[in-house]
Amino acid sequence: MPRQLGDIEGFIKVVSDAQSGHLLGATLLCAGGAELIHRSIDLLNAHAPAAVIKNAVHIHPTLAEAVQGAVTKLG
């Protein structure tokens, strides 16, 4: 479970193209990761930029917010 929900164990990594900003992949080794990865799969299939996640409005605390935190670190 990500830090947003009180757990300090786990790992979320999101990779995007530096020039286009398009999402290239994601790794989620955390509780709920099997559900959260579908969010990344949908964006990959849509050839969407990582900014779609970064600019989304999420309620707090949620697992989706943890993925948004990883994307926000992309720059």
Side-chain angles (χ1 to χ4, degrees):
M1 188 171 303
R3 216 175 272 226
Q4 282 78 356
L5 298 180
D7 196 347
I8 59 171
E9 294 184 15
F11 178 81
I12 297 174
K13 180 177 183 177
V14 179
V15 179
S16 68
D17 182 272
Q19 292 188 349
S20 70
H22 284 103
L23 187 65
L24 298 176
T27 302
L28 294 95
L29 301 173
C30 62
E35 292 295 324
L36 288 172
I37 196 65
H38 294 283
R39 172 189 191 116
S40 299
I41 292 169
D42 292 340
L43 291 174
L44 284 165
N45 288 333
H47 304 287
V52 170
I53 296 173
K54 183 178 179 181
N55 298 331
V57 177
H58 295 94
I59 59 171
H60 173 78
T62 62
L63 295 174
E65 184 185 33
V67 176
Q68 183 181 36
V71 170
T72 300
K73 293 177 184 176
L74 290 174

